[in-house]
Amino acid sequence: IRTIQVNVTGEVEVPGTYSISSLSNVYNALYCAGGVNELGTLRKIQLIRNGKQKAEVDLYDFILNGVIPDGLALHDGDVINVPLYVNLVSLEGSVKRPMYYEMKDGETVQELLDYAGGFAGDAYRSNVNLVRQNGVEYQVYTVDSPLFSAFILKDGDEVTVGTLID
């Protein structure tokens, strides 16, 4: 096993050049750099080799499903770049993991609920409430369950799942 030099740039806690094992992958290098900071994307991390993007890494695949895609082995001189996030959505209320989620362009309310592990036991499942800023004012939506897989989320959306009435 030999040591290689990898550059980790962009929105990580400690950007820099790291000497790591030649058996390492993108996840190992990100760990060495202290992880992605609060402004960085978890969904579109770039593996750059010889000045060209070789792969795009979505940490949600790893975090939520334990999937490590093939082709992420690192070579000497590789660059891992973490750009800024694009779409950050708040999810609160009666779901298993209420928090902020980064959404790719075109992702929907249903995908957000899936990332959150689904509804909690006391959730009102017929609809969710959504507040969206359009640059001028706030818009309030009630998204009914048949539209969960069609309603596309945007940066800054705030989604709330209610509870059953006692």
Side-chain angles (χ1 to χ4, degrees):
I1 300 174
R2 62 184 182 85
T3 301
I4 60 172
Q5 300 284 315
V6 176
N7 295 301
V8 184
T9 64
E11 300 301 324
V12 293
E13 292 296 333
V14 187
T17 301
Y18 294 91
S19 295
I20 58 178
S21 162
S22 61
L23 300 177
S24 297
N25 61 31
V26 171
Y27 304 110
N28 303 119
L30 286 171
Y31 179 80
C32 289
V36 175
N37 70 25
E38 64 186 28
L39 298 176
T41 182
L42 296 175
R43 309 295 308 272
K44 294 184 173 193
I45 297 168
Q46 303 162 341
L47 171 57
I48 300 167
R49 182 168 297 145
N50 299 323
K52 296 182 180 170
Q53 185 170 319
K54 177 174 174 30
E56 187 173 270
V57 179
D58 185 344
L59 286 182
Y60 277 27
D61 288 339
F62 178 67
I63 294 168
L64 297 172
N65 305 315
V67 173
I68 299 177
D70 292 334
L72 296 184
L74 298 176
H75 295 173
D76 196 44
D78 280 354
V79 175
I80 296 159
N81 183 54
V82 179
L84 293 165
Y85 72 83
V86 178
N87 298 312
L88 200 59
V89 174
S90 166
L91 177 61
E92 52 190 45
S94 196
V95 292
K96 292 179 181 167
R97 285 189 297 259
M99 65 176 80
Y100 284 91
Y101 289 90
E102 183 180 357
M103 307 300 290
K104 287 185 174 178
D105 289 335
E107 287 190 314
T108 65
V109 169
Q110 184 60 58
E111 287 161 309
L112 175 66
L113 292 169
D114 292 344
Y115 294 148
F119 292 111
D122 65 345
Y124 181 71
R125 300 165 190 247
S126 294
N127 63 44
V128 299
N129 295 314
L130 184 138
V131 177
R132 175 174 288 167
Q133 305 171 32
N134 67 9
V136 177
E137 61 191 5
Y138 289 97
Q139 298 172 307
V140 179
Y141 297 89
T142 299
V143 182
D144 294 322
S145 59
L147 298 177
F148 286 174
S149 57
F151 196 97
I152 295 173
L153 296 168
K154 297 187 182 215
D155 186 40
D157 283 353
E158 298 173 5
V159 179
T160 304
V161 176
T163 59
L164 295 171
I165 297 172
D166 196 5

